[in-house]
Amino acid sequence: MTETRQGIGMTSARTRDRLVQRLRDQGIRSEAVLAQIREVPRHLFVDEALASRAYEDRALPIGHNQTISQPYVVARMTEALLDGFEGESVLEIGTGCGYQTAVLAPLVKKIYTVERIPELLRKTRQRLRDLDIYNVQFRPGDGWEGWPKYGPYDGIIVTAAASKLPEKLLSQLSSKGRMVIPIGPPGLQDLMLVTRMNDRFEQVSLDAVSFVPLVHG
Ligand code: SAH
């Protein structure tokens, strides 16, 4: 390990605690989620040039015109998905660099994740393997279609903003499943929690958020 890398490692123990405290102050309550925010080495999900800023509570660029999600939003979404979660399998749409995937992975049995940029997916698959995360299955493709093969899913988490609720994702949610998804145009998105009760879908708005769009096709 180089001195620079060690330096980052040393500051990050303190800076990670500071990040966790900040999320606590902002209302994140799940100790399991907060522990994951502390554990997951977010500096390994961004370019080395941005590593020193990895524990700030903000989104950062990761290339391909995409971003790594803000820790608060990742914590909020994970907490909302898992509160009252019954089951095992989660479908994730918008893998990106895999930070959300890594935070969620130890808290559920299995994640199926779909990303439309194959190059990003390839790097992320390797990154998660390097972090000893093995309960994730990856697929390049269009998230609007979901991933019917392994459905229905007990949870669905969408990390790009959809213009409206994707019908195919609703149909891939199990009878008591939960879905967390940002809905709306750029700059005006609501983080929605959709809870399925057999044929009924209950929707509540959790927060205002800002995501890159869930692109069509
Ligand atoms: N989950 C990531 C953030 C993802 S950013 C994190 O934890 O940091 C949103 C991602 O959604 C981008 O990688 C983008 O390429 C992907 N995306 C956008 N539209 C998509 C679609 N229709 N299907 C699958 N992935 C999509």
Side-chain angles (χ1 to χ4, degrees):
M1 215 185 237
T2 65
E3 278 190 9
T4 335
R5 271 298 186 187
Q6 267 181 359
I8 288 169
M10 281 167 64
T11 47
S12 65
R14 251 181 302 134
T15 45
R16 286 184 207 194
D17 282 343
R18 210 178 299 138
L19 173 60
V20 167
Q21 188 54 48
R22 191 187 152 106
L23 300 195
R24 236 184 245 288
D25 294 344
Q26 286 182 282
I28 303 298
R29 290 283 166 266
S30 163
E31 290 302 328
V33 171
L34 290 167
Q36 275 302 98
I37 296 285
R38 187 183 286 106
E39 279 309 301
V40 176
R42 193 167 182 261
H43 62 281
L44 300 182
F45 291 76
V46 297
D47 277 349
E48 232 171 301
L50 286 173
S52 64
R53 304 184 54 196
Y55 298 95
E56 294 173 14
D57 186 26
R58 54 189 301 163
L60 295 168
I62 57 162
H64 302 276
N65 258 329
Q66 304 301 330
T67 55
I68 180 172
S69 294
Q70 185 189 348
Y72 169 76
V73 174
V74 170
R76 185 86 169 95
M77 290 178 81
T78 311
E79 186 173 71
L81 184 77
L82 296 181
D83 180 27
F85 178 80
E86 286 176 29
E88 306 190 330
S89 63
V90 173
L91 173 66
E92 179 188 50
I93 305 297
T95 321
C97 65
Y99 178 61
Q100 169 72 72
T101 325
V103 168
L104 181 62
L107 306 178
V108 297
K109 187 144 186 222
K110 181 90 197 193
I111 301 178
Y112 299 86
T113 190
V114 179
E115 166 61 51
R116 64 183 286 276
I117 303 176
E119 169 73 1
L120 209 47
L121 195 64
R122 195 179 55 74
K123 283 194 204 147
T124 296
R125 181 184 269 139
Q126 185 59 51
R127 177 181 292 120
L128 295 187
R129 203 174 287 153
D130 291 345
L131 291 170
D132 291 330
I133 296 171
Y134 298 113
N135 59 335
V136 181
Q137 206 154 320
F138 302 85
R139 182 193 191 194
D142 178 11
W144 284 94
E145 300 294 319
W147 192 349
K149 183 170 176 191
Y150 297 104
Y153 302 95
D154 304 308
I156 299 182
I157 184 165
V158 183
T159 66
S163 46
K164 59 182 174 58
L165 274 175
E167 287 292 331
K168 289 188 177 157
L169 295 188
L170 291 176
S171 72
Q172 288 168 38
L173 201 54
S174 71
S175 59
K176 287 189 177 162
R178 300 164 73 77
M179 169 155 70
V180 185
I181 178 171
I183 304 271
L188 204 70
Q189 300 158 3
D190 259 324
L191 183 61
M192 304 296 297
L193 171 66
V194 181
T195 316
R196 180 166 193 173
M197 283 156 211
N198 303 311
D199 292 335
R200 224 156 43 80
F201 294 92
E202 243 178 46
Q203 296 183 38
V204 289
S205 164
L206 300 176
D207 238 320
V209 286
S210 178
F211 275 89
V212 298
L214 185 68
V215 175
H216 276 278

Coordinates of all heavy atoms in Angstrom, one line a residue, residues 62 66-69 74 92-101 114-117 120 141-144 159-160 211-217, ligand 1:
I62 N -18.9 9.9 -11.7 CA -18.2 8.7 -11.9 C -17.9 8.4 -13.4 O -17.5 7.2 -13.7 CB -18.9 7.4 -11.3 CG1 -20.3 7.3 -12.0 CG2 -19.1 7.6 -9.8 CD1 -21.0 5.9 -11.8
Q66 N -22.6 9.9 -15.4 CA -23.4 9.3 -14.3 C -22.8 9.7 -13.0 O -21.7 10.3 -12.9 CB -23.5 7.8 -14.4 CG -24.0 7.3 -15.7 CD -25.4 7.8 -15.9 OE1 -26.2 8.0 -15.0 NE2 -25.8 8.0 -17.2
T67 N -23.4 9.5 -11.9 CA -23.0 9.9 -10.6 C -23.0 8.7 -9.6 O -23.8 7.7 -9.8 CB -23.8 11.0 -10.0 OG1 -25.2 10.6 -10.0 CG2 -23.7 12.3 -10.8
I68 N -22.3 8.8 -8.5 CA -22.4 8.0 -7.3 C -23.4 8.7 -6.4 O -23.3 9.9 -6.2 CB -21.1 7.7 -6.6 CG1 -21.3 6.8 -5.4 CG2 -20.4 8.9 -6.2 CD1 -20.0 6.3 -4.7
S69 N -24.4 8.0 -5.9 CA -25.5 8.6 -5.1 C -25.0 9.2 -3.8 O -24.0 8.7 -3.3 CB -26.6 7.6 -4.8 OG -27.2 7.2 -6.0
V74 N -28.9 7.1 -0.2 CA -28.7 5.7 -0.2 C -29.2 5.1 1.1 O -29.9 4.1 1.2 CB -27.2 5.3 -0.4 CG1 -26.9 3.8 -0.1 CG2 -26.7 5.7 -1.8
E92 N -32.6 -4.5 -8.3 CA -32.1 -3.1 -8.3 C -32.0 -2.6 -9.7 O -31.4 -3.3 -10.5 CB -30.7 -3.0 -7.6 CG -30.1 -1.6 -7.6 CD -28.7 -1.6 -7.1 OE1 -27.9 -2.4 -7.6 OE2 -28.4 -0.8 -6.3
I93 N -32.5 -1.4 -10.0 CA -32.4 -0.9 -11.3 C -31.4 0.3 -11.3 O -31.6 1.3 -10.5 CB -33.7 -0.4 -11.9 CG1 -34.8 -1.5 -11.8 CG2 -33.6 0.2 -13.3 CD1 -34.5 -2.7 -12.7
G94 N -30.4 0.3 -12.1 CA -29.4 1.4 -12.1 C -28.2 1.1 -11.2 O -27.9 1.8 -10.3
T95 N -27.5 0.1 -11.6 CA -26.3 -0.4 -10.7 C -25.3 0.7 -10.6 O -24.8 0.9 -9.5 CB -25.6 -1.6 -11.4 OG1 -26.6 -2.5 -12.0 CG2 -24.7 -2.3 -10.4
G96 N -25.0 1.4 -11.7 CA -23.9 2.4 -11.6 C -22.6 1.9 -11.1 O -22.2 0.8 -11.5
C97 N -22.0 2.6 -10.1 CA -20.7 2.1 -9.6 C -20.9 1.1 -8.5 O -20.0 0.5 -8.0 CB -20.0 3.3 -8.9 SG -20.9 4.0 -7.5
G98 N -22.2 0.8 -8.1 CA -22.5 -0.3 -7.2 C -22.4 0.1 -5.7 O -22.5 -0.8 -4.9
Y99 N -22.4 1.4 -5.4 CA -22.4 1.8 -4.0 C -23.6 1.4 -3.3 O -23.6 0.7 -2.2 CB -22.1 3.3 -3.9 CG -22.1 3.8 -2.5 CD1 -21.1 3.3 -1.6 CD2 -23.0 4.7 -2.0 CE1 -21.1 3.7 -0.2 CE2 -23.0 5.2 -0.7 CZ -22.0 4.7 0.2 OH -22.0 5.1 1.5
Q100 N -24.8 1.7 -3.8 CA -26.1 1.3 -3.2 C -26.1 -0.3 -3.1 O -26.5 -0.8 -2.1 CB -27.2 1.8 -4.1 CG -28.6 1.2 -3.7 CD -29.1 1.7 -2.4 OE1 -29.5 2.9 -2.3 NE2 -29.2 0.9 -1.4
T101 N -25.7 -0.9 -4.1 CA -25.6 -2.4 -4.1 C -24.8 -2.9 -2.9 O -25.2 -3.8 -2.2 CB -25.0 -3.0 -5.4 OG1 -25.3 -2.1 -6.5 CG2 -25.4 -4.4 -5.7
V114 N -29.7 -4.4 -12.5 CA -29.7 -4.2 -14.0 C -29.2 -2.8 -14.3 O -29.5 -1.8 -13.6 CB -31.2 -4.2 -14.5 CG1 -31.2 -3.9 -16.0 CG2 -31.8 -5.6 -14.2
E115 N -28.2 -2.7 -15.3 CA -27.6 -1.4 -15.7 C -27.5 -1.4 -17.2 O -27.2 -2.4 -17.8 CB -26.2 -1.4 -15.0 CG -25.3 -0.3 -15.5 CD -25.8 1.1 -15.4 OE1 -26.2 1.5 -14.3 OE2 -25.8 1.8 -16.4
R116 N -27.8 -0.2 -17.7 CA -27.8 -0.1 -19.2 C -26.5 0.1 -19.8 O -26.3 0.0 -21.0 CB -28.8 0.9 -19.7 CG -28.6 2.3 -19.3 CD -29.7 3.2 -19.8 NE -29.6 3.4 -21.2 CZ -28.9 4.3 -21.8 NH1 -28.1 5.1 -21.1 NH2 -28.9 4.5 -23.1
I117 N -25.5 0.6 -19.0 CA -24.1 0.8 -19.6 C -23.2 -0.4 -19.3 O -22.8 -0.5 -18.2 CB -23.5 2.1 -19.1 CG1 -24.5 3.3 -19.4 CG2 -22.1 2.4 -19.7 CD1 -24.0 4.7 -18.8
L120 N -19.8 0.1 -17.5 CA -20.0 0.4 -16.0 C -20.2 -0.9 -15.3 O -19.7 -1.1 -14.2 CB -21.2 1.4 -15.9 CG -21.2 2.4 -14.8 CD1 -19.9 3.2 -14.6 CD2 -22.3 3.4 -15.1
G141 N -29.0 -4.2 -19.4 CA -30.3 -4.1 -20.0 C -31.1 -2.9 -19.6 O -30.5 -2.0 -18.9
D142 N -32.3 -2.8 -20.0 CA -33.2 -1.7 -19.8 C -34.0 -1.9 -18.6 O -34.9 -2.8 -18.6 CB -34.1 -1.5 -21.0 CG -35.0 -0.3 -20.8 OD1 -34.9 0.4 -19.8 OD2 -36.0 -0.2 -21.6
G143 N -33.8 -1.1 -17.6 CA -34.5 -1.3 -16.3 C -36.0 -1.1 -16.4 O -36.7 -1.6 -15.5
W144 N -36.5 -0.4 -17.4 CA -38.0 -0.3 -17.6 C -38.6 -1.7 -17.7 O -39.8 -1.8 -17.4 CB -38.3 0.6 -18.8 CG -38.1 2.1 -18.5 CD1 -37.0 2.8 -18.8 CD2 -39.0 3.0 -18.0 NE1 -37.2 4.1 -18.5 CE2 -38.4 4.3 -17.9 CE3 -40.3 2.9 -17.4 CZ2 -39.1 5.4 -17.4 CZ3 -41.0 4.0 -17.0 CH2 -40.3 5.3 -16.9
T159 N -32.6 3.4 -8.8 CA -31.7 4.5 -8.4 C -31.5 5.4 -9.6 O -30.4 6.0 -9.7 CB -30.4 4.0 -7.8 OG1 -29.7 3.3 -8.9 CG2 -30.6 3.0 -6.7
A160 N -32.5 5.6 -10.4 CA -32.5 6.6 -11.5 C -34.0 7.1 -11.5 O -34.9 6.3 -11.2 CB -32.0 6.1 -12.8
F211 N -32.0 12.7 -9.0 CA -31.3 11.6 -9.6 C -31.1 11.9 -11.1 O -31.9 12.7 -11.7 CB -32.2 10.3 -9.5 CG -32.0 9.6 -8.2 CD1 -32.7 9.9 -7.1 CD2 -31.0 8.6 -8.1 CE1 -32.5 9.2 -5.9 CE2 -30.8 7.9 -6.9 CZ -31.6 8.2 -5.8
V212 N -30.2 11.2 -11.7 CA -30.1 11.2 -13.2 C -31.4 10.4 -13.7 O -31.9 9.6 -13.0 CB -28.8 10.5 -13.7 CG1 -27.6 11.3 -13.2 CG2 -28.7 9.0 -13.3
P213 N -31.8 10.7 -14.9 CA -33.0 10.0 -15.4 C -32.9 8.5 -15.7 O -31.8 8.1 -16.1 CB -33.4 10.8 -16.7 CG -32.1 11.5 -17.1 CD -31.3 11.6 -15.9
L214 N -34.0 7.8 -15.5 CA -34.1 6.4 -16.0 C -34.4 6.5 -17.5 O -35.5 6.8 -17.9 CB -35.2 5.7 -15.2 CG -35.3 4.2 -15.5 CD1 -34.1 3.4 -14.9 CD2 -36.6 3.7 -14.9
V215 N -33.3 6.3 -18.2 CA -33.4 6.5 -19.7 C -34.3 5.4 -20.3 O -34.3 4.2 -19.8 CB -32.0 6.4 -20.3 CG1 -32.0 6.5 -21.8 CG2 -31.2 7.5 -19.7
H216 N -35.0 5.7 -21.4 CA -35.8 4.7 -22.1 C -34.9 3.9 -23.1 O -34.1 4.6 -23.8 CB -36.9 5.4 -22.9 CG -38.1 5.5 -22.0 ND1 -39.0 4.5 -21.7 CD2 -38.6 6.6 -21.3 CE1 -40.0 5.0 -20.9 NE2 -39.7 6.3 -20.6
G217 N -35.0 2.6 -23.1 CA -34.3 1.8 -24.1 C -32.8 1.6 -23.8 O -32.3 2.0 -22.9
Ligands
SAH1 N1 -26.9 3.1 -7.7 C1 -25.8 4.0 -8.0 C2 -26.2 5.3 -8.7 C3 -26.8 5.0 -10.0 S1 -26.9 6.5 -11.1 C4 -25.0 4.4 -6.8 O1 -25.2 3.7 -5.8 O2 -24.2 5.3 -6.8 C5 -28.1 5.8 -12.2 C6 -27.7 4.6 -13.0 O3 -28.8 4.2 -13.7 C7 -26.6 5.0 -14.1 O4 -25.6 4.1 -14.0 C8 -27.4 4.8 -15.4 O5 -26.6 4.3 -16.4 C9 -28.5 3.8 -15.0 N2 -29.6 3.8 -15.9 C10 -30.3 4.9 -16.4 N3 -31.3 4.5 -17.1 C11 -31.4 3.1 -17.0 C12 -32.2 2.1 -17.6 N4 -33.3 2.4 -18.3 N5 -32.0 0.8 -17.2 C13 -30.9 0.5 -16.5 N6 -30.1 1.4 -15.9 C14 -30.3 2.7 -16.2

